[in-house]
């Protein structure tokens, strides 16, 4: 039977609860303990798929096609596992399931209530993940902070779990913030005491308190939290702000959290091995020469909207022993004032995923710039559609080619719904989602990058390359280097007469891992790093030429 670690948050949100969960997974996995993770999101949306990235950042997609919170991406990257739809639970899903059962007559005659019906449904989700993943330890993050109205049923459910599976099989971890007062130069514990009180009020006594702070936490502060919150002294774990999120597992291990969890859950003797992770962090902290990359997108004001893209770039530059200088270019600005300064210094250009017409013409301009100036280009989903539109405009000598997403009446719909997709109008759950196979063409940049001919990557889009234009674009120099095995769908395209202009209909960023960058990102940076741009100096020879 699986054991459960429930992680709640106190005081304020955005203190790194997700990274803490991912890091706990990492330090347990480094002891050869099989783990899985789950995120509980208290909002009423069924999934974040229809939410604007401005609300919750990137929508992460699992291999089986669930549209989830970006925290799942961190779990996958830190624990190095592939999660499934069972790892993402929202109040919307829970209530829909309970109401569907009520309509079907499953509770005939009963009054349907939050306790027990909603909480039972929530607990079912815990057990479902435990059974499916066969993990020894399932780590479950309760989204939001203790005290939120929507979060109450989740907290009640995790409280009940202690009796359901036995107190030796359950651990409660509370992640809080210790604010610092400049006037008195003090780190304060009172908000933590309050949030622990709030937890106790509903019957949960935390076993471990992880204390986030921008300032060092003294022994005295630890004693105080231990005393007032009634947790063991060694169970007060300081987690000061670190320069890279990848350092968090090392900090937690150093503070003894791994051993503490093993002891408390009775997991038996285990040796921790964080050597590779330590090497990765050492490399991140070593000064490296940056590669200048421009990211041209419409959500650039909120960096979290491209979380996995940013991480994949980080993995790729580390592979090449380089750093990243990522310049965010709002595509709308490129459209209106034609300011190309970011592009002029870029050694590579990325156009990431997105929806809707805003900023599209600016992205097309960026693609023209990359094609004409032979700057490495990586298109991710929408970025591929933009590359196809741009190339079609060039080939046809017209500015009319478009996607029917942006111009329903274009005479040249190079990106369109497939004929069998027409008629699907709902916005939720009508996309091509999750893993699909892709056959790569021998000798193409994509095939060279992956080093194999059949790959699986994750999708999230409605529109597709329109097959009517294949022949024309291929003749003009576009290589359709990745196709679905039945040949019907174009999954990767690239330009023949260009050093590296490659785009995929899928999102390669979701499968990139620290130490194992996604091949397209890796090769994109591999080519970009050697491109010389405006203002850059060629490296000086170490010895004078003879
Ligand atoms: N809007 C495009 C489509 O739906 C691209 C989606 C994306 O980039 N994820 O096909």
């Amino acid at each position: 039977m699986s054991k459960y670690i429930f992680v709640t948050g106190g005081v304020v949100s955005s203190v790194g609860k997700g990274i803490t969960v991912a890091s706990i997974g990492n330090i347990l996995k480094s002891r050869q303990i099989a783990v899985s993770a789950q995120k509980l999101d208290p909002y009423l949306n069924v999934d974040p798929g229809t939410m604007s990235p401005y609300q919750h950042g990137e929508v992460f997609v699992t291999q089986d096609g669930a549209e989830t919170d970006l925290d799942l991406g961190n779990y996958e990257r830190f624990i190095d596992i592939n999660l499934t739809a069972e790892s993402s639970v929202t109040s919307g899903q829970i209530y829909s399931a309970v109401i569907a059962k009520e309509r079907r007559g499953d509770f005939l005659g009963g009054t349907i209530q939050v306790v027990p019906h909603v909480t039972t449904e929530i607990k079912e989700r815990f057990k479902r993940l435990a059974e499916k993943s066969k993990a020894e330890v399932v780590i479950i993050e309760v989204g939001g902070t203790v005290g939120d109205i929507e979060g109450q049923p989740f907290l009640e459910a995790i409280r009940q779990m202690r009796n359901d599976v036995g107190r030796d099989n359950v651990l409660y971890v509370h992640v809080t913030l210790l604010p610092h007062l400049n006037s008195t130069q003090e780190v304060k514990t009172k908000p933590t005491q309050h949030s622990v009180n709030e937890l106790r009020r509903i019957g949960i006594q935390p076993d471990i308190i992880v204390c986030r702070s921008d300032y060092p936490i003294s022994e005295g502060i630890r004693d105080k939290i231990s005393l007032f919150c009634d947790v063991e002294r060694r169970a007060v774990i300081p987690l000061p702000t670190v320069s890279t999120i990848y350092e968090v597992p090392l900090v937690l291990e150093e503070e003894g959290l791994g051993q503490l969890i093993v002891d408390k859950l009775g997991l038996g003797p285990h040796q921790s091995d964080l050597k590779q992770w330590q090497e990765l962090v050492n490399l991140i902290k070593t000064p490296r020469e940056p590669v200048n990359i421009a990211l041209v997108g419409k959500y650039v004001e909120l960096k979290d909207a491209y979380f996995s893209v940013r991480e994949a770039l980080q993995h790729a530059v580390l592979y090449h022993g380089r750093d990243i200088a990522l310049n965010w270019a709002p595509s709308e600005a490129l459209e209106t004032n034609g300011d190309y300064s970011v592009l002029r210094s870029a050694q590579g250009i990325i156009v990431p995923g997105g929806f809707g017409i805003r900023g599209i013409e600016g992205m097309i301009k960026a693609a023209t710039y990359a094609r004409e100036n032979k700057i490495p280009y990586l298109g991710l989903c929408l970025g591929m559609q933009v590359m196809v539109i741009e190339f079609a405009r060039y080939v046809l000598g017209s500015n009319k080619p478009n996607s029917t997403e942006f111009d329903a009446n274009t005479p040249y719909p190079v990106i369109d719904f497939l004929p069998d997709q027409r008629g699907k109008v709902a916005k939720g759950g009508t996309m091509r989602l999750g893993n699909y196979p892709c056959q790569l063409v021998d000798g193409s940049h994509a095939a060279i990058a992956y080093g194999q001919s059949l790959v699986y990557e994750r999708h999230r889009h409605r529109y597709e390359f329109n097959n009517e234009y294949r022949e024309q674009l291929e003749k003009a120099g576009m290589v359709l280097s990745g196709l679905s095995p039945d040949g019907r769908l174009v999954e990767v395209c690239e330009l023949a007469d260009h050093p590296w202009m490659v785009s995929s209909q899928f999102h390669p960023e979701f499968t990139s891992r620290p130490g194992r960058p996604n091949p397209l990102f890796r090769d994109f940076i591999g080519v970009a790093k050697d491109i010389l741009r405006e203002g850059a100096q060629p490296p000086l020879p170490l010895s004078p030429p003879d």
Side-chain angles (χ1 to χ4, degrees):
M1 196 188 70
S2 302
K3 300 190 181 245
Y4 296 89
I5 300 178
F6 295 105
V7 182
T8 53
V11 183
V12 289
S13 61
S14 308
V15 288
K17 184 156 42 83
I19 298 293
T20 306
V21 168
S23 301
I24 292 175
N26 179 302
I27 58 180
L28 292 182
K29 182 150 185 214
S30 80
R31 291 177 159 75
Q32 314 294 325
I33 296 169
V35 288
S36 192
Q38 187 177 57
K39 173 84 192 277
L40 310 177
D41 276 308
Y43 46 69
L44 288 171
N45 304 59
V46 172
D47 62 44
T50 49
M51 286 189 204
S52 157
Y54 284 127
Q55 302 263 323
H56 279 271
E58 158 190 290
V59 175
F60 187 78
V61 182
T62 56
Q63 53 180 358
D64 59 344
E67 299 174 85
T68 74
D69 186 85
L70 61 79
D71 274 324
L72 265 77
N74 287 322
Y75 305 164
E76 288 207 354
R77 286 183 286 266
F78 275 65
I79 311 174
D80 197 8
I81 42 171
N82 288 318
L83 299 169
T84 57
E86 285 75 16
S87 284
S88 172
V89 176
T90 68
S91 293
Q93 282 167 22
I94 298 292
Y95 282 100
S96 314
V98 172
I99 291 167
K101 284 182 184 170
E102 188 272 335
R103 292 289 84 183
R104 219 167 47 211
D106 289 13
F107 313 114
L108 221 49
T111 307
I112 318 305
Q113 294 176 298
V114 171
V115 183
H117 300 95
V118 169
T119 49
T120 301
E121 185 67 37
I122 295 170
K123 292 189 292 179
E124 286 296 313
R125 306 296 168 117
F126 302 160
K127 291 169 194 160
R128 211 178 287 169
L129 175 64
E131 272 158 31
K132 183 161 177 187
S133 68
K134 303 203 168 38
E136 211 176 326
V137 178
V138 178
I139 311 166
I140 296 175
E141 173 180 356
V142 185
T145 23
V146 170
D148 295 347
I149 289 177
E150 300 96 328
Q152 297 291 322
F154 286 122
L155 294 176
E156 170 58 18
I158 69 170
R159 183 195 67 75
Q160 292 174 13
M161 283 295 280
R162 192 181 51 213
N163 284 331
D164 288 8
V165 298
R167 54 185 66 221
D168 294 342
N169 298 317
V170 168
L171 206 58
Y172 298 103
V173 178
H174 192 52
V175 182
T176 74
L177 175 78
L178 303 188
H180 179 266
L181 286 189
N182 275 339
S183 53
T184 50
Q185 292 294 316
E186 266 183 312
V187 167
K188 306 300 286 183
T189 66
K190 188 64 88 189
T192 298
Q193 297 177 39
H194 279 304
S195 75
V196 168
N197 277 343
E198 188 67 24
L199 265 181
R200 284 190 187 144
R201 202 176 56 79
I202 48 178
I204 298 170
Q205 166 63 41
D207 299 290
I208 296 170
I209 299 181
V210 175
C211 304
R212 287 279 298 107
S213 174
D214 288 335
Y215 290 81
I217 294 165
S218 67
E219 295 302 312
I221 293 284
R222 288 178 83 166
D223 289 340
K224 198 165 168 185
I225 292 172
S226 166
L227 178 67
F228 282 89
C229 300
D230 196 21
V231 291
E232 270 182 70
R233 175 66 174 66
R234 63 169 185 151
V236 181
I237 308 282
L239 180 55
T241 305
V242 279
S243 57
T244 157
I245 53 172
Y246 289 105
E247 204 177 345
V248 174
L250 300 177
V251 175
L252 295 179
E253 180 63 35
E254 177 82 25
E255 292 293 344
L257 182 61
Q259 191 56 45
L260 182 66
I261 292 173
V262 164
D263 293 348
K264 286 200 179 269
L265 286 178
L267 294 170
H270 287 280
Q271 272 295 330
S272 147
D273 179 9
L274 283 169
K275 201 166 148 274
Q276 270 191 333
W277 201 266
Q278 178 73 60
E279 281 167 11
L280 176 87
V281 172
N282 291 349
L283 184 59
I284 295 177
K285 292 173 131 186
T286 312
R288 291 154 288 137
E289 195 190 330
V291 184
N292 256 309
I293 299 297
L295 186 145
V296 183
K298 78 184 236 199
Y299 313 111
V300 291
E301 294 84 359
L302 183 75
K303 310 288 184 259
D304 276 4
Y306 304 110
F307 206 103
S308 294
V309 175
R310 231 169 45 185
E311 293 303 299
L313 282 169
Q314 183 68 258
H315 307 156
V317 291
L318 280 172
Y319 175 91
H320 294 287
R322 301 291 286 269
D323 201 350
I324 181 104
L326 191 54
N327 297 303
W328 305 83
S331 46
E332 269 172 310
L334 216 54
E335 216 163 83
T336 47
N337 62 18
D339 178 3
Y340 279 72
S341 56
V342 172
L343 298 186
R344 272 200 294 271
S345 59
Q347 295 169 279
I349 296 172
I350 288 203
V351 176
F355 292 82
I357 190 169
R358 184 166 70 80
I360 291 295
E361 291 301 321
M363 296 177 205
I364 293 174
K365 282 189 175 168
T368 307
Y369 184 90
R371 180 174 56 76
E372 289 178 346
N373 295 284
K374 303 230 184 299
I375 304 301
Y377 174 98
L378 175 61
L380 311 170
C381 200
L382 176 65
M384 172 178 131
Q385 300 177 351
V386 161
M387 173 172 153
V388 172
I389 295 169
E390 194 282 327
F391 194 66
R393 288 185 182 186
Y394 158 69
V395 172
L396 296 168
S398 154
N399 62 2
K400 292 263 171 7
N402 217 328
S403 161
T404 48
E405 180 180 3
F406 316 126
D407 178 3
N409 301 315
T410 167
Y412 309 108
V414 288
I415 304 291
D416 198 5
F417 275 131
L418 287 187
D420 55 359
Q421 287 177 312
R422 292 209 174 274
K424 287 191 181 175
V425 284
K427 285 271 192 270
T430 54
M431 283 194 266
R432 182 146 79 100
L433 287 167
N435 263 10
Y436 280 87
C438 167
Q439 193 79 44
L440 300 172
V441 172
D442 265 3
S444 62
H445 286 308
I448 292 169
Y450 280 97
Q452 61 193 76
S453 61
L454 186 69
V455 298
Y456 286 82
E457 291 281 13
R458 303 180 194 175
H459 290 251
R460 179 172 181 254
H461 55 99
R462 283 193 186 84
Y463 295 83
E464 304 280 354
F465 186 108
N466 184 345
N467 292 328
E468 313 252 312
Y469 292 90
R470 270 196 198 187
E471 217 184 299
Q472 205 171 2
L473 298 186
E474 273 184 308
K475 263 201 198 118
M478 179 167 266
V479 182
L480 306 182
S481 54
L483 298 175
S484 56
D486 65 4
R488 259 184 83 231
L489 301 165
V490 175
E491 306 285 37
V492 188
C493 61
E494 46 193 82
L495 291 191
D497 182 26
H498 191 286
W500 209 92
M501 187 151 182
V502 182
S503 290
S504 62
Q505 190 55 78
F506 48 76
H507 287 273
E509 66 270 27
F510 293 139
T511 52
S512 193
R513 300 283 162 82
R516 216 170 55 247
N518 175 280
L520 292 182
F521 278 86
R522 187 199 62 217
D523 281 14
F524 166 65
I525 293 295
V527 180
K529 74 181 195 322
D530 297 325
I531 301 277
L532 275 183
R533 293 318 308 276
E534 218 175 73
Q537 301 268 339
L540 293 172
L542 290 176
S543 52
D546 39 36

